[in-house]
Amino acid sequence: MKLEMRDQPGQLVAALQPISAVGGNIIAVIHQRETPAATEVLDVQIVLELPEGRLEKLLELLREQGVNVVRIGEQRLLYECTLITIGHLMHTDLSDTVDRIDTTGSAEVTDLSLAMPAINAPSSARITIRSTTREEMKKAIRILRSVAEQKDLLIIEPLEGV
Amino acid sequence: MRIAILGFGSVGRGIARAILAKNLDLAVTGLADSRSGIIDPAGIDIAAALARKEGGAPCGSPDVSPADVVAKADYDVLVEVTPTNVDDGEPALGHIRGALRRHKHVVTSNKGPIALAYPELRDLAAANGVFLRYEATVCGAIPLIHAMQEGLAGNTISRLYGVFNGTCNYILTRMAEDSLTYEQALAEARELGYAEADPTYDVEGIDAAIKLVILANAILDMRTTLDDVERTGITLLTPEALRLAEDQDCTIRLIGEVVPEAGVLRVSPRIVSKVHPLVVEGTLNAVTVGTDLAGDLTFIGKGAGSVETASAVIGDLLYIRDRHVQGS
Ligand SMILES: NC(=O)c1ccc[n+]([C@@H]2O[C@H](COP(=O)([O-])OP(=O)(O)OC[C@H]3O[C@@H](n4cnc5c(N)ncnc54)[C@H](OP(=O)(O)O)[C@@H]3O)[C@@H](O)[C@H]2O)c1
């Protein structure tokens, strides 16, 4: 997600401490010169990752520090993970498998490629999942693993994490 | 230095050939296969024994058993290169114990005893003031254990992962290259002698899992057994799955992985970028060791083969020779 604030002296430093206090992870700090340039005021955008449910706490801490948050950007799906699954995907209701991830709210299947070689032969699918946080991704993969166990599907995970 | 060799198959004969071809200063005073043995304190004629074996005959006399060689021959090091038994490690385990109790060093390529009884054997070796070495049990010719014990001494190993089974790697390479089905690739591997008639041990990931247990127990100070390894083989993989990976410049490899901190011990097919150093072709093995001081190191080499595996055994033998006062 993205926080925007005025770059007044000390604001950035004041913002960093609360972010780490709530377990957040700063991905980028972007200074943006406002138009018209004459104002000499900078906007600062902080792109960060937050554990689920910590946004309210962060905003409270930032207010206490006197940081003026101008805008809270959209929560973006920052993390991506592609897996392959093999088995009787249609017989075991592929759309239900996908739904079980989508219903988590913070992770979703954004891409699916299916290969069905022959009737009754196991089919293979490549599933791309996106999520807002690393934790959510881990949760989505755990869900997928347990669904796979129930439905007797093989899940091939990437070697390197998300 | 005098050695006794138990097992005169692919690895045992590889050792014999290397001894004949090079001046390694090793005399063989005991030798046995499953049905025969020879004991000769003056040194066995290895070339003649090889010729007998290759002509289909036993290597020695039916009156001498492997147990006789262990108990009676004059040797400094027992070289134990008989087939792996992962249920109880026998009869190799008993032979290794017997040699250690006689204050003889032991070098083995046999995964069974090391995977099942490493702490006990290590303590027994220490109590008798001798070495127990097992470089060849993991990844054939790659000196992975030496590297971790000596070269990387002082490092903390955070993760160890890679391709530990050449048979599976061959099958997956072929499925990816030519869109073969699993069955077709397995048949080809059998024809080339890369897979056993019963390939279960390889394709179900058992062999890779045993190697992880050996590394976990012997190098990473964990206390694990085969049952602790989360294991999925390659038998259900489809050419379509490989193609789906390929579409994203990736492929699928059977990866063994140990993460000591997290207690992870896992063998499973994984999606790997094609440019990843672990993506090796054919029957090669490759292992990445993640360390705190040295960073990541990747070892690539032949994981099996007669002379290749003998290389690891000989490395262990010369390690011992250089560190002990030769026996009388
Ligand atoms: N081959 C490799 O590339 C490789 C790589 C790494 C580790 N290893 C390990 O090294 C060991 C040997 O492998 P290998 O490929 O050489 O096996 P192999 O070709 O099957 O040879 C095994 C040898 O052991 C003999 N043997 C069987 N039972 C015996 C017993 N009770 N006492 C004495 N000798 C006995 C056999 O006798 P007969 O000749 O009478 O049948 C044969 O000579 C195995 O534990 C294997 O897992 C092998």
Side-chain angles (χ1 to χ4, degrees), chain A:
Chain A
M1 61 171 292
K2 207 155 79 178
L3 287 181
E4 289 184 7
M5 62 193 70
R6 285 295 145 115
D7 187 23
Q8 279 149 8
Q11 289 252 306
L12 181 57
V13 176
L16 298 181
Q17 203 281 326
I19 291 172
S20 67
V22 298
N25 183 23
I26 298 173
I27 291 160
V29 177
I30 306 159
H31 282 90
Q32 238 170 10
R33 192 168 288 275
E34 217 183 13
T35 47
T39 59
E40 280 303 309
V41 181
L42 293 176
D43 256 2
V44 179
Q45 292 186 347
I46 301 183
V47 181
L48 59 117
E49 162 186 52
L50 273 186
E52 211 190 352
R54 305 309 292 271
L55 180 60
E56 282 313 309
K57 181 71 188 165
L58 174 64
L59 291 177
E60 188 190 314
L61 290 175
L62 287 173
R63 266 194 303 275
E64 280 171 16
Q65 292 279 321
V67 175
N68 182 16
V69 175
V70 182
R71 202 153 62 92
I72 300 168
E74 216 182 303
Q75 298 204 8
R76 280 193 299 145
L77 298 173
L78 277 170
Y79 290 92
E80 186 183 287
C81 178
T82 298
L83 305 95
I84 291 175
T85 177
I86 302 174
H88 292 286
L89 302 173
M90 302 313 282
H91 295 310
T92 58
D93 196 351
L94 184 58
S95 70
D96 165 74
T97 305
V98 169
D99 278 350
R100 298 230 213 148
I101 292 166
D102 286 353
T103 50
T104 61
S106 39
E108 61 183 78
V109 173
T110 58
D111 191 54
L112 186 89
S113 304
L114 182 65
M116 291 190 296
I119 302 169
N120 291 327
S123 40
S124 309
R126 188 180 61 226
I127 300 177
T128 300
I129 301 172
R130 290 177 145 262
S131 76
T132 49
T133 66
R134 184 169 281 137
E135 268 319 303
E136 283 301 324
M137 182 62 80
K138 283 188 182 155
K139 195 168 132 197
I141 292 173
R142 274 200 300 276
I143 291 171
L144 193 60
R145 274 195 196 179
S146 80
V147 173
E149 202 158 309
Q150 286 165 24
K151 297 186 176 182
D152 203 16
L153 307 175
L154 173 66
I155 296 284
I156 305 170
E157 293 174 39
L159 174 60
E160 302 301 350
V162 289

Side-chain angles (χ1 to χ4, degrees), chain B residues 7-11 33-34 53 66 81-84 91 109-111 136 304-305 309:
Chain B
F8 210 36
S10 175
V11 178
D33 55 21
S34 66
K53 194 72 191 165
V81 290
T82 67
T84 290
S109 65
N110 188 334
K111 292 172 270 284
T309 309

Side-chain angles (χ1 to χ4, degrees), chain A residues 82-84 86 111 113-115 117 122 124-126 128 145 154-160, chain B residues 159 161 232 236-238 240-241 243-245 247-248 252 255 266 269-272 276 278:
Chain A
T82 298
L83 305 95
I84 291 175
I86 302 174
D111 191 54
S113 304
L114 182 65
S124 309
R126 188 180 61 226
T128 300
R145 274 195 196 179
L154 173 66
I155 296 284
I156 305 170
E157 293 174 39
L159 174 60
E160 302 301 350
Chain B
R159 188 179 177 211
Y161 56 109
T232 307
L236 299 176
L237 291 191
T238 58
E240 294 79 29
R243 190 174 47 71
L244 287 167
D247 288 346
Q248 304 212 314
I252 298 174
I255 301 288
R266 182 177 176 200
R270 304 283 280 273
I271 302 170
V272 193
H276 196 287
L278 289 181

Side-chain angles (χ1 to χ4, degrees), chain B residues 162 246 292 302:
Chain B
E246 200 101 343
D292 56 346
K302 295 198 173 137

